[in-house]
Structures are given as structure tokens and as C-alpha cells.
Amino acid sequence: MQVTALGAIVGLVLAIYLIIKKVHPAYGLILGGIVGGIVGGAGVTGTVTLMMDGAKGIIPAVLRILTAGVLAGVLIETGAAAKIAETIVDKLGESNALIALSLATLVLTTVGVFIDVAVITVAPIAIAIAKRANFTKTGILIAMIGGGKAGNMMSPNPNAIAASDAFKLPLTSIMAAGIVPAIVGLIVTIIVSRKLAKKGSAVEQNEISSTFEEKPGFLPAIVGPLVAIIILSLRPLFHISIDPMVALPVGGVIGALAMGKIKNINKYATVGLAKMSGVAILLLGTGTISGIIANSALKDVIINSLNTIGLPAFALAPIAGILMSGATASTTSGTAVGSQVFGPTLLELGVQPLSAGAMIHTGATVMDHLPHGSFFHATGGSVFMDMKERLKLIPYESLIGLSMTIVSTIIFGLLR
């Protein structure tokens, strides 16, 4: 069944409006999907079917988020993440603390930790560093977000999996295609975070977390992430495919064992699950409205507009990623919907599968942080930032994502 472009737009606008009015994002997205489907002519039954199908498509990402809670819980509750971040800060010097935060978040997302999880994991360390170095919440959050976005481009995460599945490509090809854009994104992040380091609200003493026990040594602290990386690297090295849903919790368990904290693994996993559950619920809401968008005439409107402007065929790929990430406020949903909806058209236009997948993937980082998605709220909440201040970060986040998208488009579009 087909939903009109008007219906899809009405649903998106309504969802964004409801969330800005402080309706829970999951409910706002679901209500937007219902209204968009009905206005778009799908009827009540058809609308529900499309929304359910959209939610089903997002379940793999939800499962990875939930299982990633084991590793995140271990890193946070044992003080391992704090030790890793503090070690990087000590090595780079306090003047380079923002670089350290970006690198810490980049490493976690590169391992395969979902970006929301990575920011939440590093946030307690970032807050402590900000208090000591007199940085603002704006400065530390943009450093973590930018590092996470860069790591996301070369990680075996749901975004890359969605693109590789849609274009029938090896996952490692999509990951490798993101390396150069990720490096550029990290450089832009460092420049922007330094400019914003003293702007915005300061960290309060009561916001500094002290829930973890005595910190472990650096080597035991990095065992968990290293094990996860090694397990995930079995795919490109030896063609042994182990999903992040398995690799990440195994890394958490072995990390707890290395630190002598295995008896507390259930406690760590429970804490991690609590941190991930909100993100998972929001992502399900995103899936419902993405089901409406994927089956709407909105793609025809976009394609016709590009033809009218006279842009080259490959431009559809990054634009699809940008628009769909903006529509769903999710890198995963943006990549998945962009690949599934626009993929066949791109291939018909002569764009190579890897080029199309790579450009859609990077394009999905440009608008994935809008307030009707989980990323906006999870990252803002991780540093106790209010809505008004969090909204001010959107242009800078888009700049980081756009820099990576431009580089990817040059490599896989202009220079292919």
C-alpha cells in the first residue's frame, strides 16, 4: 500500500511538534506515524501494518543496544571507562582533554557499541574532566558526539549492517569506506569542540558521578573493549562472522573477569540494561514512523526535485541519507530507510553498490540528532543538559556530519 507524500510530511511535522511540546518522544513518533498514515490514505488497518513492519525492521538494532548494556555497565560501574579516559587525558595532557574525549567515544563506537551507548558510557568521565579543566557541557558533549559520529562510520554497527544488507555487500566494505570520512570528522570535531569549550553552562559538583568502585589498572580496564574488537575482527580476517550482539556482552563479561569483578556481573548488566532501555524504546518509536516513510510517495517527490535541479545521479545517495536521517532522527533508521527506499533507484541510475551504500551511510549522520529521535535526548541527558541548550548544538553536529558526507561524496561520487 502507498502513503501519499503529504501524509508522510504531516506525520513527521506532527511528531516533531509533539516532542518539542514535551510529549514522550516514543509516543510522539507513534502518533505522528498514525496520523501520517491515515492522512496519507493507508487507512487505520493499513497504517498499523506499515508501522508494525517498520518497528520489526528496527528490532536488530534494539537487540544490539540492549546487549551492549553489559559492556557499558561493566565499563561504567567498575570505573574502567573512567580509567581509560583518564589515561588518555594524562598521556595527551589536560590541554588536550577534549581530544581525549573524542578519541574515547570514537574507540567505543568503532568497537561496535551503539553511539548513544558510547556517549552515555563516556559522559561520567567527561563531566569529571569538565569540572577539573573548567570546560562547559557544550564543549564536552560536542567532543563526544563528534567522536561517536566518526567512529560510527567505520564500525560493525546496525547502520553499516543495514547498508551492507540492502546493497548485498560485505560488512567490512562499508566499514572500510568510512575510514577517511571518519578521520576528517574527528578533525572537525576537535576544532569545533575547542571553539565551544568555554561556551554554555558549567558542570555542577552534584552532577559528578561517584558510583563506581576503586578504579582498576589501565590494562585490566581495556581488556573488555579489546576482546570485543578482536572478536569483531574475526569477520574480516578469518571470515568468522560473530555479531556485535554476541561480541559486546562477551567483551563485558571477560572485562569483568580480568578486573576481578565477575561476581558483580549481574549488577553491572542490570545497570547497563537500565541505561539502554530508554534508548531502545525510542528507537522502536522511530521504526514505526519510518515504516510510513518507506511506503510513501515522498521518495518520488525527492527524485523529481533532484532531476529538476539537474544534480548528478550519485547526489541522490547522500541526499537520501540526509533526508531520511532527518525524517527519522536516527542514523540506523536513516541508513536503513534510505538504502531500502532509494537503493534500487540508485542502482538503476548506474551508481555502484559500494558508492551508494557509503554515501547514504555518511549522509545519515547529518541530521540524526534532531529532537524527535533518541540520540538527541540520550546524549543531552547524559550530561544533564536542558532542552534549550541541547538545541543549540544541532548546527555543530550537522557540520561534523556534513564534513564526513562531503568527503565520502567526493571519494565515491566524483572520484569513483
Side-chain angles (χ1 to χ4, degrees):
M1 62 189 75
Q2 183 84 347
V3 176
T4 65
L6 175 63
I9 294 171
V10 168
L12 288 170
V13 172
L14 176 61
I16 294 171
Y17 173 79
L18 290 173
I19 293 169
I20 291 175
K21 289 297 183 180
K22 301 190 183 303
V23 173
H24 191 284
Y27 285 131
L29 291 164
I30 292 170
L31 286 171
I34 292 172
V35 172
I38 294 174
V39 171
V44 175
T45 302
T47 295
V48 171
T49 299
L50 292 177
M51 292 174 67
M52 289 293 187
D53 289 343
K56 288 177 185 176
I58 216 71
I59 285 177
V62 171
L63 289 174
R64 290 184 177 94
I65 289 174
L66 295 177
T67 55
V70 178
L71 179 60
V74 169
L75 289 172
I76 294 173
E77 291 299 299
T78 62
K83 185 62 178 180
I84 293 170
E86 287 177 4
T87 301
I88 295 173
V89 171
D90 290 340
K91 294 298 182 182
L92 295 178
E94 196 163 286
S95 60
N96 294 316
L98 293 172
I99 299 177
L101 294 177
S102 296
L103 287 174
T105 319
L106 181 147
V107 167
L108 288 178
T109 50
T110 301
V111 167
V113 176
F114 202 74
I115 185 170
D116 298 49
V117 181
V119 174
I120 291 170
T121 300
V122 178
I125 303 94
I127 290 173
I129 291 173
K131 186 66 176 177
R132 191 172 71 223
N134 197 29
F135 292 143
T136 62
K137 295 179 181 179
T138 296
I140 60 173
L141 185 54
I142 200 67
M144 291 187 291
I145 288 174
K149 282 178 178 284
N152 229 0
M153 292 298 92
M154 48 187 180
S155 168
N157 53 35
N159 322 327
I161 291 170
S164 65
D165 288 348
F167 291 101
K168 305 294 188 295
L169 293 167
L171 177 57
T172 49
S173 296
I174 295 293
M175 292 165 58
I179 293 176
V180 175
I183 293 171
V184 173
L186 179 63
I187 293 170
V188 173
T189 296
I190 292 169
I191 294 171
V192 172
S193 62
R194 282 180 168 175
K195 294 289 184 182
L196 301 177
K198 303 295 183 180
K199 296 182 179 180
S201 61
V203 170
E204 302 294 334
Q205 184 64 40
N206 61 3
E207 294 172 338
I208 299 176
S209 174
S210 58
T211 59
F212 47 78
E213 306 153 14
E214 183 180 351
K215 298 187 189 81
F218 177 72
L219 290 178
I222 63 172
V223 165
L226 282 178
V227 167
I229 291 173
I230 291 170
I231 293 174
L232 292 168
S233 66
L234 294 176
R235 184 195 298 258
L237 294 178
F238 304 107
H239 304 290
I240 301 174
S241 179
I242 299 179
D243 194 272
M245 190 171 69
V246 174
L248 297 177
V250 167
V253 170
I254 295 179
L257 185 63
M259 291 180 281
K261 305 290 186 181
I262 192 64
K263 65 180 180 180
N264 297 323
I265 188 63
N266 185 55
K267 169 192 168 185
Y268 303 150
T270 301
V271 171
L273 180 63
K275 291 181 178 295
M276 299 308 109
S277 59
V279 177
I281 291 170
L282 287 170
L283 198 57
L284 283 173
T286 301
T288 60
I289 200 166
S290 71
I292 299 297
I293 298 167
N295 293 278
S296 73
L298 191 58
K299 73 168 184 178
D300 298 324
V301 173
I302 295 171
I303 292 170
N304 291 336
S305 299
L306 293 178
N307 289 335
T308 301
I309 297 172
L311 290 175
F314 65 78
L316 177 60
I319 290 174
I322 293 170
L323 293 178
M324 292 302 99
S325 69
T328 61
S330 166
T331 320
T332 301
S333 295
T335 303
V337 176
S339 299
Q340 293 167 4
V341 174
F342 296 93
T345 302
L346 284 164
L347 297 180
E348 289 175 4
L349 293 172
V351 181
Q352 294 299 310
L354 179 59
S355 298
M359 289 187 283
I360 290 175
H361 190 203
T362 51
T365 65
V366 178
M367 302 289 283
D368 60 345
H369 43 264
L370 293 182
H372 55 288
S374 64
F375 184 78
F376 177 92
H377 301 276
T379 52
S382 70
V383 295
F384 309 99
M385 183 178 284
D386 62 40
M387 175 75 79
K388 184 177 180 181
E389 186 173 3
R390 180 66 184 85
L391 287 168
K392 293 179 180 178
L393 265 68
I394 291 177
Y396 303 106
E397 296 170 271
S398 295
L399 174 62
I400 294 167
L402 187 61
S403 69
M404 295 191 292
T405 303
I406 291 173
V407 171
S408 181
T409 303
I410 292 173
I411 295 173
F412 295 100
L414 292 175
L415 303 179
R416 69 188 187 281

